[in-house]
Amino acid sequence: KAPFSDKNVRRAFSHALDREGFVREVLKGLGKPYVSWIPPGIPGYDETAVAPGYDPNAALRSLIDNGYGSADKKKVDCNKLGTIKLSYSNTPKTQVLFSFIAANLTRIFACPVLLDPVEPNAYPVVIRDPKTTPQMFLIPWEGEYPHPQNWLFLQTCKGVYATRIGYCNKDFDAAFTAANQELDFDASIEKYKAAQKIFVGDVAGAFLWNNENAYLVKPYLLGVRDNSSTSDAAWLGQF
């Protein structure tokens, strides 16, 4: 939805997100800033496939240089940008999370970002139809199996991103289909990486953070080792 139908605006808002500050202040350090899609530890992770990271100056220039600047070309014209509304399921936890994001974006652009708390029972219904999907909201994802296919099927023209935010890129679909059909594992991973770069390059989403888990282990328990896993539903050594 406008103004996020403009890739320059999407790029600007990704540049404006202070992910380090979010992890520090909101998550109290239990997480990692996130600018790639397929996460580290999963086949297909590509450190070169990244969304625009935190850069306030680049965030401003992306708007000012692309039709959203004020007369003096030094500030964003909030009227040109239009009303920005951040929607979320209204719980005490999400209030803290989205208050940080709204304050962060408002500070960078000097334009108000309005908080739009939605009644929790109504929220899942609202975000599942592009006709009622909010202008800006959070889509979480929790990996189910350690393979890039599990991270990329969401972005097809019939996937979750299409049915929630209207994202559809035929080139991505073709690249993803080619990866799915490749029988050689190593070759398929490279094709999944190519598909991911199309999605990341579209800046369809401004990635924010990866969860991390903390475990308490009895001191008499021997042989425990750290292993990478994908989510809060995971356990030590899952993969």
Side-chain angles (χ1 to χ4, degrees), residues 10 35 48 60 62 70 82 84 88 99 103 133-134 146-147 153 155 163 167 172 176 184 197 224:
R10 301 198 300 272
V35 289
T48 69
L60 288 172
S62 187
S70 60
I84 302 296
Y88 57 95
S99 292
T133 292
H147 193 280
F153 79 97
Q155 288 80 38
T163 57
Y167 174 73
F172 172 85
F176 180 64
D184 180 270
K197 281 195 170 179
V224 176

Side-chain angles (χ1 to χ4, degrees), residues 44-108:
Y45 169 68
D46 183 354
E47 63 182 10
T48 69
V50 294
Y54 184 53
D55 187 336
N57 290 329
L60 288 172
R61 296 292 3 144
S62 187
L63 291 184
I64 293 170
D65 295 344
N66 290 285
Y68 302 91
S70 60
D72 62 8
K73 297 295 184 182
K74 293 181 181 179
K75 296 180 180 179
V76 174
D77 186 326
C78 300
N79 290 323
K80 291 180 180 177
L81 186 62
T83 301
I84 302 296
K85 189 181 292 186
L86 182 57
S87 303
Y88 57 95
S89 176
N90 189 20
T91 68
K93 180 180 179 180
T94 54
Q95 183 68 35
V96 173
L97 188 160
F98 287 98
S99 292
F100 179 95
I101 296 174
N104 167 197
L105 297 174
T106 298
R107 182 179 71 253
I108 299 300

